[in-house]
Amino acid sequence: MLTFSQKEESSIKGTISVPGDKSISHRAIMLAALANGESKIKNFLTGEDCLSTLQAFEDMGVSIKRDGQSVSVTGEGLNGLKEAKVPLDLGNSGTTTRLLLGILAGTPNHYCIYGDQSLTKRPMDRVTLPLREMGAKIDGREDGNLLPISVRGGSLKPISYTLPINSAQVKSSVLLAGLFAEGVTKVIEPVPTRDHTERMLKAFQVDVTRAGNEISLKGNQTLIATDIEVPGDISSAAFFLCAAAMKKGSHITVKDVGLNPTRTGVVDVLKRMGANLSVSTNRYIGDEPIGDITVDGGNLKGMTISGDDIPRLIDELPIIALVASQAKGKTVIQDARELRLKETDRIQAVVDTLSKMGVSISGTEDGMIIEGRQGPLNGGTFNSYHDHRIGMMVAIASLLTDESVTLTDEECISISYPSFFEDFGSLTGSHV
Ligand code: S3P
């Protein structure tokens, strides 16, 4: 339990670098484990989700050495994974589970995977259905929809799969299974989703091509080990970028953050809301752009966020909803039904939390409607719903009230941002 005390100075100021990107850290371990030879990963995110990925591959016999944020992975190629001696514990991590299922589908061993209470409720049929179509034998509760799940993989045939939901996890799972299939696997994505898998496959010298919205790769290619530097996670940076944008007098810079255009929806939305924000792309690490973002606090206005924008900011919607409470006018978030299926039902969690803080907000089937300019928020005791992004939203909301805010079960924040409270303290000058 943590209490955020009242601050004398309520603007936030300073320069930080946030920890490594969660999506990229998962993929770095996975692809390095499937490659031939040693890959060195720098700035790996040591959040619990990525440690679940690391542990799962160690359990499958991959040699992994970690020293802080530096990880060395020695893979033995596509056929190098061993049958694990234990069921694989994937903790809270949906990304690990869905991407790993794609890999296990192609591996001729038997595996059993399970996770924590939240993961055990999350739908897996979005990946088990196409993976079964490719030939994997998958069992689990609700006909392979819910963990624990057991997989017997091997001898996959390629498919051409049009994503029924806009999910990078599903796209990646099918593409990873496609690495093991005889022939060309195709994924068609009607709306672009984060493309770290495709970019990183290229870094491992896999020939993966995109024509319009269709991504293709031929199976049985050799992944060549490579070194990877993970950029800062824009989804973590978003909490402080949003805090600065809505607090007058604030000025912050987040350095060395990933600027992949499939992830920068929050930057575009803050700009459209009127934030004073500048982005400089400084370099590329592999195929991923990286740079600095500076934001000054000011007046914001509400807007509608929907359609193709949603996958580019899906994880940022809780903190964007908080920003909307401080903007002038109404903000409408639509087409974000997927939020109900994250670590918790994030529409319900945001609506309940912000309502208790005094914001006029209502949930819809696929989004939220937030009335802006509600005045100072109410303090009180809030919980994170065991969801890291809800916990961080509550911490940032404490900057918008003179009353004290207490957050229970804050430990889950270490899922994606283990040093969140240090950065919070350095930018706000407060001690929590
Ligand atoms: C992720 C994709 C997104 C995102 C998740 C990480 C990934 O999920 O919400 O936190 O690394 O591919 P969906 O692709 O299911 O929307």
Side-chain angles (χ1 to χ4, degrees), residues 211-223:
N213 61 6
E214 183 179 288
I215 305 131
S216 310
L217 68 77
K218 194 159 174 279
N220 287 319
Q221 299 185 51
T222 302
L223 282 77

Side-chain angles (χ1 to χ4, degrees), residues 145-177:
N145 184 32
L146 297 177
L147 295 177
I149 281 178
S150 88
V151 191
R152 260 178 213 285
S155 328
L156 297 187
K157 58 177 195 298
I159 55 170
S160 179
Y161 192 66
T162 301
L163 295 180
I165 40 176
N166 302 324
S167 165
Q169 294 181 348
V170 179
K171 170 176 68 175
S172 301
S173 186
V174 175
L175 288 175
L176 290 171

Side-chain angles (χ1 to χ4, degrees), residues 42 58 99 106 149 158 165 217 233 292 383:
K42 275 211 281 196
E58 272 195 325
L99 271 58
I149 281 178
I165 40 176
L217 68 77
D233 196 329
D292 302 340
N383 70 68

Side-chain angles (χ1 to χ4, degrees), residues 56 75 119 154 332:
L119 193 61
V332 179

Side-chain angles (χ1 to χ4, degrees), residues 21-24 26-27 49 94-95 98-99 122 126 165-172 193-194 196-197 235 263 311 314-315 338 342-343 346 388-389:
D21 187 274
K22 182 155 83 69
S23 295
I24 296 178
H26 284 303
R27 287 155 172 85
D49 271 10
T95 307
R98 297 194 179 114
L99 271 58
R122 296 180 69 186
R126 54 186 57 201
I165 40 176
N166 302 324
S167 165
Q169 294 181 348
V170 179
K171 170 176 68 175
S172 301
T193 64
R194 66 189 69 191
H196 305 300
T197 302
S235 297
R263 294 286 300 284
I314 185 77
D315 292 337
E338 276 294 303
K342 296 293 178 188
E343 284 81 335
R346 285 187 177 156
H388 50 129
R389 301 203 200 276

